[in-house]
Amino acid sequence: MISGENTTTFAARDVGVPYRVSAVEPAQWDALVQAFPDRTVFHGLAWLRSVAQAESLELILRKVESDGRCLAIWPWLEVRKGPLRVLGSPLPGWSTVYLGPLFDRQANVADCVRAFCEDPRLRTAAYSYCKVLDPGREVDLGPAGFEVRSGYRTYLLSLERSEAELWSNLEGNCRTKIRKGLKQGLEVRRETDSDFIEDFWTMSLEVFGRSGIRPTFSRRLLELVVGNLMAEDRLLVLSAFWEGRRIATLVHPHDDQTLYNWQGTSFGEYRWLSPNNLLQWEAILAARRMGLRRFDFVSVYGGPGEFKKSFGGTATTTATHWERYRWPVVRVLKQTYEYYLRRRQRAR
């Protein structure tokens, strides 16, 4: 669902230039996104619509213009919690790696943020949470009433090097496991349709079930992402087969710059073959052949962080989480709701 039109105009501080925030028609959105160098596949309409449909959210698309030029865009997704309106760009639990505002290189970030926050839909939300990309310059949402929640770190691997250099950059144990998988007869195939989803979902239930929880993404979201992004050639899906059976699969969205390590899973009984090492290596090579510049392993934390580190990426802070409460009581309600969700996830 796309929100209705809304426009707000104010004079930017000290310069007297009007900054105008307005709604963006979906048909115009992707063209605007392409103008911003810090864009990600998650800012695209295919991804946004996938999340909106899977989670029953309302999609709110906004832009800031000055003197006829678009200086910034900001996609939001709205959900209602009882009488409260909650905005996420994204919210945790939506399996969306990046989102938040994008700014023109020449834009005054502070004035753009102020313009966005004058929009009634954004200003009056009970709670707002976003992840802001930090492309080498400060994006401070503090003056708009936001608080820093945490930084976001990930392993980034540059693909602007030879295959031999990428191979030598792997940790020794990782190279050994890749060779082992090949020696044992593992075959990697690219999935070109949705036939893999049934196996992928079964594997995911098994993997998360070992920790007594459900997958962090829904099957509905998986189906929508695969359908919408494959249609735009924005998805790389690789599966490892052994003796004719699919035993592991990676689902990696990408834009024209970066491949993102979104979801990957495998059957536990074939863990001894180390199929995930071979799949990630083949994904790195595929991304390089596609002309992409980097591989984002998505986060550095937990046990999986050691696995991701073995591919030679550099730990980098790429974004900052911010949140804003309209009333103090909302903070208490949110903390209570988070506790409830954790209990429910464990119960499942």
Side-chain angles (χ1 to χ4, degrees), residues 28-39:
Q28 302 170 347
W29 182 253
D30 281 341
L32 288 177
V33 171
Q34 287 301 308
F36 293 89
D38 302 319
R39 63 189 178 275

Side-chain angles (χ1 to χ4, degrees), residues 328-344:
V329 68
V330 177
R331 187 190 301 269
V332 178
L333 292 172
K334 177 207 172 237
Q335 293 170 346
T336 303
Y337 183 68
E338 287 179 337
Y339 175 75
Y340 159 74
L341 288 180
R342 289 193 295 269
R343 291 289 300 272
R344 188 178 69 172

Side-chain angles (χ1 to χ4, degrees), residues 52-122:
Q53 292 173 31
E55 303 289 341
S56 299
L57 309 172
E58 181 178 357
L59 179 57
I60 301 172
L61 305 175
R62 293 294 186 262
K63 65 180 177 180
V64 167
E65 294 176 300
S66 180
D67 197 23
R69 180 180 178 184
C70 182
L71 299 176
I73 59 174
W74 200 339
W76 289 91
L77 292 152
E78 180 182 302
V79 61
R80 286 193 173 271
K81 300 295 183 181
L84 303 179
R85 290 177 48 250
V86 176
L87 294 180
S89 188
L91 279 182
W94 289 350
S95 298
T96 299
V97 180
Y98 299 111
L99 212 54
L102 297 176
F103 301 96
D104 184 270
R105 293 296 190 206
Q106 305 304 316
N108 183 310
V109 173
D111 284 327
C112 287
V113 170
R114 179 169 170 248
F116 280 125
C117 293
E118 288 295 319
D119 184 289
R121 294 293 299 277
L122 309 187

Side-chain angles (χ1 to χ4, degrees), residues 187-205:
E187 178 189 358
V188 175
R189 303 177 194 171
R190 181 166 184 173
E191 306 279 4
T192 57
D193 54 37
S194 61
D195 288 350
F196 72 93
I197 288 179
E198 188 64 40
D199 281 344
F200 188 89
W201 186 245
T202 301
M203 287 186 275
S204 299
L205 291 174

Side-chain angles (χ1 to χ4, degrees), residues 162-267:
S162 69
E163 181 177 331
E165 290 173 317
L166 290 169
W167 177 257
S168 65
N169 198 44
L170 303 179
E171 292 184 359
N173 187 49
C174 184
R175 290 195 296 268
T176 298
K177 289 181 176 180
I178 292 171
R179 292 191 187 102
K180 176 183 178 181
L182 291 171
K183 185 177 180 179
Q184 293 295 329
L186 282 180
E187 178 189 358
V188 175
R189 303 177 194 171
R190 181 166 184 173
E191 306 279 4
T192 57
D193 54 37
S194 61
D195 288 350
F196 72 93
I197 288 179
E198 188 64 40
D199 281 344
F200 188 89
W201 186 245
T202 301
M203 287 186 275
S204 299
L205 291 174
E206 178 188 306
V207 170
F208 283 91
R210 295 184 200 128
S211 301
I213 60 175
R214 297 278 293 179
T216 53
F217 57 95
S218 68
R219 177 162 180 162
R220 177 62 174 155
L221 177 60
L222 174 65
E223 292 170 343
L224 287 165
V225 165
V226 170
N228 291 336
L229 269 68
M230 271 192 174
E232 296 191 357
D233 194 22
R234 292 296 186 188
L235 198 67
L236 176 68
V237 182
L238 298 179
S239 290
F241 287 78
W242 191 66
E243 296 184 345
R245 185 186 182 189
R246 183 185 289 108
I247 66 169
T249 300
L250 299 180
V251 180
H252 289 353
H254 66 87
D255 44 48
D256 55 356
Q257 304 175 87
T258 307
L259 188 74
Y260 302 91
N261 180 47
W262 185 58
Q263 301 292 344
T265 188
S266 59
F267 285 118

